[in-house]
């Protein structure tokens, strides 16, 4: 009986660890994942201005939390809390990174800090232009549009993308 129980535990652990391997655990794994799409464009703005615009909109439109409470059969109540976090950081002279992660209290196989949802590399192209490389999944059109507009300096709205 102990052998069957041990075998069940080993097989279950192996299955769970293989499931978690399908989700990128680092930004580098996310941007290099074969299912992640990549697109590049250049904006006629310096890197610092692009970083400032993206950071401003991350604070206004993305970063925050939401709480959902559901009541199921038999009066069972479950509450989940989701966190949305977009960071924009200069990584070295002439370069910056945007990373968007979503985490939740009820999400399995979640890497520390949440699941990677979107990323962008920003690279100065001289003093007056910035190359933006977006990394995203297939269902990100509203977020792609918002980040593209924000990088161009159109920061008067959330461009149809608001999580907080």
């Amino acid at each position: 009986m102990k052998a069957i129980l041990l075998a069940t535990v080993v097989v279950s652990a192996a299955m769970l660890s293989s499931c978690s391997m399908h989700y990128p655990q680092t930004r580098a794994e996310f941007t290099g994942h074969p299912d992640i799409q990549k697109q590049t464009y250049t904006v006629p703005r310096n890197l610092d201005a692009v970083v400032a615009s993206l950071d401003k909109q991350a604070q206004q439109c993305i970063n925050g939390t939401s709480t959902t409470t559901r009541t199921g059969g038999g009066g069972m109540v479950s509450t989940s809390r989701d966190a949305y976090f977009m960071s924009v950081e200069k990584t070295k002279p002439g370069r910056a990174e945007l990373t968007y992660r979503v985490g939740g209290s009820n999400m399995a196989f979640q890497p520390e800090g949440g699941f990677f949802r979107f990323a962008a590399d920003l690279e100065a192209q001289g003093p007056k232009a910035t190359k933006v490389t977006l990394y995203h999944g297939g269902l990100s059109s509203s977020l792609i549009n918002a980040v593209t507009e924000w990088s161009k300096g159109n920061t008067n709205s959330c461009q149809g993308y608001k999580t907080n």
Side-chain angles (χ1 to χ4, degrees):
M1 184 65 168
K2 285 184 182 179
I4 293 173
L5 180 59
L6 181 59
T8 302
V9 169
V10 169
V11 169
S12 296
M15 287 173 53
L16 288 175
S17 68
S18 70
C19 289
S20 67
M21 296 173 96
H22 294 285
Y23 301 106
Q25 301 294 302
T26 66
R27 187 181 191 280
E29 287 177 12
F30 177 78
T31 59
H33 195 280
D35 292 336
I36 295 302
Q37 299 171 25
K38 178 180 166 182
Q39 69 186 77
T40 301
Y41 61 92
T42 301
V43 294
R45 302 177 73 217
N46 70 48
L47 178 65
D48 289 337
V50 173
V51 167
S53 293
L54 291 171
D55 188 54
K56 173 187 173 200
Q57 295 308 102
Q59 301 308 317
Q60 289 182 354
C61 304
I62 305 286
N63 295 345
T65 60
S66 68
T67 303
T68 305
T69 302
R70 292 187 175 93
T71 304
M76 183 85 147
V77 176
S78 68
T79 301
S80 67
R81 181 180 169 116
D82 297 326
Y84 306 89
F85 183 66
M86 180 179 280
S87 63
V88 186
E89 300 175 11
K90 289 187 89 171
T91 54
K92 54 185 156 183
R95 293 185 182 266
E97 292 179 346
L98 175 148
T99 305
Y100 178 32
R101 299 174 82 158
V102 177
S105 60
N106 294 341
M107 293 184 188
F109 310 116
Q110 175 174 227
E112 188 173 330
F115 289 105
F116 291 88
R117 171 98 165 79
F118 191 90
D121 289 333
L122 312 169
E123 182 181 349
Q125 302 292 293
K128 296 183 179 183
T130 301
K131 180 172 89 172
V132 181
T133 303
L134 305 177
Y135 303 91
H136 56 85
L139 301 174
S140 302
S141 61
S142 62
L143 182 57
I144 293 165
N145 178 64
V147 169
T148 301
E149 290 301 312
W150 300 338
S151 68
K152 293 176 182 177
N154 299 325
T155 59
N156 56 351
S157 79
C158 290
Q159 303 294 333
Y161 194 88
K162 187 163 177 72
T163 60
N164 63 19

